[in-house]
Amino acid sequence: MARVLRMFQAQHGNQQTLLPSAGEPETTTSARGRGTDRPGRDAFFDNAKYLAIVLVAVAHAWEPVMDGSRATRALYMFVYAFHMPAFILISGYFSRSFAGRPDQLRRLVTGLVVPYLVFEVAYSLYRRWAGHIPDQAISLTDPIYLTWFLIALFVWRLSTPLWRSLRHPLPVALAVAALGSLTPGIGQDLDLQRVLQFLPFFVLGLSLKPEHFALVRRRAVRQAAVPVALGALAFTYWITPDVRMGWFYRSTSAEELDAPWWAGPVATFTLFGCALVLTAAFLAWVPRRRTWFTVLGAGTICGYLLHGFLVKAMDYWALVPGYDLGTPLGRVVVTAVAAVAVTAMCTPPVRRALRWVTEPRMEWAFRRDTPGLSRR
């Protein structure tokens, strides 16, 4: 399998990133060193995106089987503390050049809006059919399941020029997130609560530079990352029975979690700090060289959008009690299946098959005389 993936990697090494990049393509260090303007890819980020999507899929798969297992719940909480923050931070980093040019807006529509609309409808119809809920509404303003990330990234990326113009964008974004945690009843429209509470990670990504990622690749940081992660996991196991997972989802306010108002800002800053430390520990151990899974980093949007159907099938078709997946062995099987399945979903053949929805060209929808479109 590794040989096949390396072959695909050689053929597809210069293609689009995780989710649509905002502007100029990535350039590898080697490409810059050769003095060429040929677009390339940084293996480190492709590796990080693949490993992050595996964590996303595995964590989603743990949700139906973690009842009755403190260890599984602790692992679930541990991964949830940083997997989406890491994803969002990297997305913010690759949005730094977004300035609202016509060609960038076009990619925003084709790479985010179109997949959101298609998969919002697809997941709603899937719930009607497989979940036996015939009255499931199809609402394009109320994201269902994991589609919230697409619409959130759309909003965040549109706001990029504003954040780039501020003198201190991160403190402002943290203040916005804290205020969001104090505001009950925001509603489900565009999953605005998550848009606000996850915003600081995107803004932090906008503020990062290549040298910041070089810091986490240092030997000392790699060595420190192991005890930090193990300590965090042990601490998570200790607090698991007393902490509600709603804090990690960032989809509700403190009041809606039956907590005092001041708990919202405290949780915002605490979880931000924890996520930042664990994301740094995660990135410290991401391989810098090209590996057999580097090519899969370019297809993570497919893995993200598709794995939800598999996870939801566990609930809709009662697979957990039906196949005794709530046992220790069952949880191991679920973990392995989720990791293998999302890996397969990120492969180049799947990406090519889904290009009509994840990377549609849509020339018919845009004026050809619009300045900037010729740069695409």
Side-chain angles (χ1 to χ4, degrees):
M1 180 178 181
R3 182 178 298 176
V4 173
L5 287 173
R6 281 195 294 269
M7 177 183 69
F8 279 124
Q9 187 172 5
Q11 296 173 349
H12 299 271
N14 293 327
Q15 294 185 1
Q16 198 176 356
T17 60
L18 149 83
L19 290 172
S21 59
E24 288 65 36
E26 301 173 56
T27 304
T28 60
T29 302
S30 58
R32 288 194 299 268
R34 292 192 303 268
T36 176
D37 58 358
R38 181 184 177 185
R41 300 186 66 92
D42 189 326
F44 170 77
F45 289 107
D46 275 335
N47 293 337
K49 289 181 287 189
Y50 165 72
L51 294 173
I53 198 61
V54 170
L55 290 177
V56 170
V58 167
H60 282 160
W62 282 338
E63 189 169 349
V65 300
M66 67 181 180
D67 286 345
S69 172
R70 181 172 178 174
T72 306
R73 183 176 175 83
L75 283 170
Y76 177 81
M77 187 178 294
F78 173 77
V79 172
Y80 253 84
F82 73 93
H83 73 336
M84 284 311 297
F87 227 63
I88 295 167
L89 184 146
I90 294 173
S91 297
Y93 179 72
F94 285 107
S95 298
R96 293 170 301 156
S97 61
F98 184 86
R101 297 196 314 262
D103 59 316
Q104 294 176 328
L105 293 173
R106 173 176 176 168
R107 285 197 295 272
L108 204 59
V109 171
T110 58
L112 289 178
V113 176
V114 172
Y116 170 74
L117 295 176
V118 171
F119 279 88
E120 179 70 14
V121 173
Y123 273 107
S124 298
L125 294 177
Y126 185 57
R127 191 164 189 249
R128 285 186 183 183
W129 169 66
H132 305 290
I133 305 176
D135 59 345
Q136 168 65 39
I138 299 178
S139 173
L140 300 182
T141 61
D142 182 8
I144 184 172
Y145 195 34
L146 47 71
T147 59
W148 72 268
F149 179 63
L150 297 179
I151 202 65
L153 185 54
F154 174 77
V155 174
W156 293 330
R157 192 162 281 172
L158 279 179
S159 68
T160 293
L162 170 63
W163 297 110
R164 297 283 286 173
S165 69
L166 294 180
R167 188 182 297 272
H168 303 292
L170 184 57
V172 174
L174 283 167
V176 170
L179 289 173
S181 72
L182 292 174
T183 311
I186 283 182
Q188 298 302 313
D189 288 349
L190 303 184
D191 227 337
L192 187 57
Q193 190 67 258
R194 273 178 168 151
V195 172
L196 297 179
Q197 292 197 38
F198 276 116
L199 173 65
F201 300 104
F202 182 81
V203 173
L204 176 60
L206 291 175
S207 305
L208 294 179
K209 298 178 180 179
E211 50 264 35
H212 294 126
F213 288 96
L215 290 175
V216 300
R217 305 182 196 185
R218 292 183 175 180
R219 182 182 180 86
V221 177
R222 288 169 60 86
Q223 292 174 338
V226 175
V228 166
L230 291 177
L233 184 57
F235 180 73
T236 304
Y237 183 84
W238 178 51
I239 67 171
T240 288
D242 304 314
V243 177
R244 296 185 60 175
M245 278 305 305
W247 292 111
F248 295 86
Y249 299 146
R250 271 93 161 184
S251 58
T252 50
S253 65
E255 181 178 320
E256 291 166 319
L257 289 171
D258 300 321
W261 68 268
W262 51 264
V266 170
T268 297
F269 289 101
T270 301
L271 290 175
F272 179 79
C274 292
L276 193 57
V277 171
L278 292 177
T279 296
F282 164 71
L283 293 175
W285 279 96
V286 170
R288 288 171 285 178
R289 66 186 185 282
R290 302 193 79 83
T291 67
W292 66 265
F293 56 80
T294 301
V295 65
L296 303 178
T300 47
I301 186 173
C302 299
Y304 181 81
L305 292 172
L306 291 177
H307 83 272
F309 292 104
L310 184 63
V311 173
K312 282 299 182 182
M314 297 171 65
D315 178 31
Y316 295 158
W317 296 336
L319 299 182
V320 175
Y323 291 89
D324 206 20
L325 297 178
T327 63
L329 177 60
R331 296 184 185 101
V332 172
V333 170
V334 165
T335 302
V337 169
V340 171
V342 77
T343 297
M345 293 168 184
C346 293
T347 55
V350 175
R351 185 182 176 204
R352 287 196 298 269
L354 282 184
R355 184 164 291 162
W356 64 275
V357 61
T358 60
E359 304 174 47
R361 300 194 63 84
M362 293 182 61
E363 289 91 347
W364 55 269
F366 299 94
R367 293 173 50 185
R368 295 192 176 186
D369 59 346
T370 302
L373 291 187
S374 59
R375 304 181 192 178
R376 191 173 189 271

